[in-house]
Amino acid sequence: MESNAQLKLILLGKKKAGKSASGNTILGRDAFMAKKSSKSVARNVAVKSGTVDGFPVTVYDTPGFYDPKMSTEEIQQILEKEIQKFELGPCVFLLVIKADSFTEEERKTVEKIEKLLGEKRLEKTWILFTRGDELQDENMTIKEFISDTKALEKLVQKYDQRYHVFNNKKKKHSDQARLLLVKILQRSFGVKGESLKKIPTFLKNIII
């Protein structure tokens, strides 16, 4: 399969939102350094490729906003330089938000990212909630969590219900990454069916 037929998934969000861990969940391996630490994990964009159920993807892990070691201006400059590269082929932006509380800092992060991407790119942006394991522990669904916070409910409505939730504590390949890809390909690219293994044979005729 041609390299430009890979779907690019760009992880954006606040520091410690779970971007690196989500990249690992998508690829089904420890591709990105993901650990709880006061130290900055990524100062530049990290890039790793792999497959999800046979479907080729390239994942971009970007520096997180509100990192005490990096200014907002530094992060914006890095992302502005990279965004045009992301769009050389099919891509989707994943706005990573923790499913525990939608703080003022997180709300401001969303605003910064939206401003950076611009109106047109928001159409190919999805919300990826992390900490799905904590929701399970509390016996709460992602829909219930969203409806509990008005600001978050409005955000999800703004993105036309384009969202997914990850439990990043599940190791190796899991069905949650496949389901995310199926949702994206169906809603963002009009691909029919749920078998990712069949998609690459005609992907380039549809979305490139």
Side-chain angles (χ1 to χ4, degrees), residues 129-144:
F129 290 104
T130 57
R131 300 198 178 182
D133 53 295
E134 293 181 13
L135 292 179
Q136 290 175 4
D137 291 344
E138 295 174 17
N139 199 27
M140 178 182 283
T141 67
I142 187 63
K143 286 185 178 181
E144 288 171 337

Side-chain angles (χ1 to χ4, degrees), residues 8 10 12 45 60 76-91 93 116-117 121 124:
K8 297 174 184 176
I10 299 95
L12 301 164
V45 178
Y60 295 77
Q76 288 174 332
Q77 285 173 7
I78 290 169
L79 293 178
E80 282 170 1
K81 283 172 63 178
E82 296 291 335
I83 281 174
Q84 290 184 337
K85 297 178 186 177
F86 296 154
E87 294 184 303
L88 296 174
C91 71
F93 299 95
L116 192 67
L117 292 177
R121 293 191 185 99
K124 50 186 175 184

Side-chain angles (χ1 to χ4, degrees), residues 12-208:
L12 301 164
K14 185 174 161 292
K15 190 191 174 196
K16 296 186 180 179
K19 297 187 303 300
S20 299
S22 295
N24 293 339
T25 296
I26 291 168
L27 295 173
R29 68 179 196 273
D30 291 331
F32 301 103
M33 187 184 297
K35 61 182 179 180
K36 290 183 179 180
S37 170
S38 60
K39 295 179 181 179
S40 176
V41 171
R43 289 188 66 87
N44 292 300
V45 178
V47 187
K48 301 290 181 181
S49 295
T51 60
V52 177
D53 198 24
F55 183 88
V57 297
T58 298
V59 180
Y60 295 77
D61 184 16
T62 67
F65 283 84
Y66 290 97
D67 184 333
K69 294 183 179 293
M70 293 183 75
S71 68
T72 296
E73 289 72 24
E74 280 183 283
I75 294 167
Q76 288 174 332
Q77 285 173 7
I78 290 169
L79 293 178
E80 282 170 1
K81 283 172 63 178
E82 296 291 335
I83 281 174
Q84 290 184 337
K85 297 178 186 177
F86 296 154
E87 294 184 303
L88 296 174
C91 71
V92 167
F93 299 95
L94 297 175
L95 183 53
V96 183
I97 298 173
K98 292 182 295 184
D100 56 4
S101 62
F102 192 54
T103 65
E104 180 69 9
E105 218 173 62
E106 284 161 332
R107 187 186 65 76
K108 287 181 178 178
T109 298
V110 170
E111 289 178 357
K112 291 177 192 298
I113 291 170
E114 288 181 340
K115 186 176 180 181
L116 192 67
L117 292 177
E119 196 73 29
K120 289 185 179 179
R121 293 191 185 99
L122 293 187
E123 295 174 5
K124 50 186 175 184
T125 301
W126 285 64
I127 299 171
L128 179 59
F129 290 104
T130 57
R131 300 198 178 182
D133 53 295
E134 293 181 13
L135 292 179
Q136 290 175 4
D137 291 344
E138 295 174 17
N139 199 27
M140 178 182 283
T141 67
I142 187 63
K143 286 185 178 181
E144 288 171 337
F145 169 73
I146 292 167
S147 63
D148 273 355
T149 308
K150 287 295 179 186
L152 203 52
E153 197 171 25
K154 283 184 179 180
L155 184 67
V156 169
Q157 288 172 354
K158 179 180 179 179
Y159 284 79
D160 195 24
Q161 306 295 318
R162 295 190 304 275
Y163 70 88
H164 191 65
V165 60
F166 268 1
N167 171 358
N168 287 324
K169 288 190 175 180
K170 287 185 177 179
K171 301 297 182 182
K172 298 184 179 180
H173 286 289
S174 64
D175 206 41
Q176 55 187 345
R178 187 189 70 82
L179 290 173
L180 171 64
L181 264 288
V182 167
K183 283 183 182 180
I184 288 172
L185 291 166
Q186 287 179 342
R187 291 202 56 189
S188 295
F189 298 105
V191 176
K192 296 180 180 179
E194 295 191 0
S195 176
L196 292 178
K197 290 177 181 177
K198 294 179 181 178
I199 290 172
T201 58
F202 58 90
L203 177 68
K204 59 185 178 183
N205 297 323
I206 297 174
I207 62 176
I208 292 181

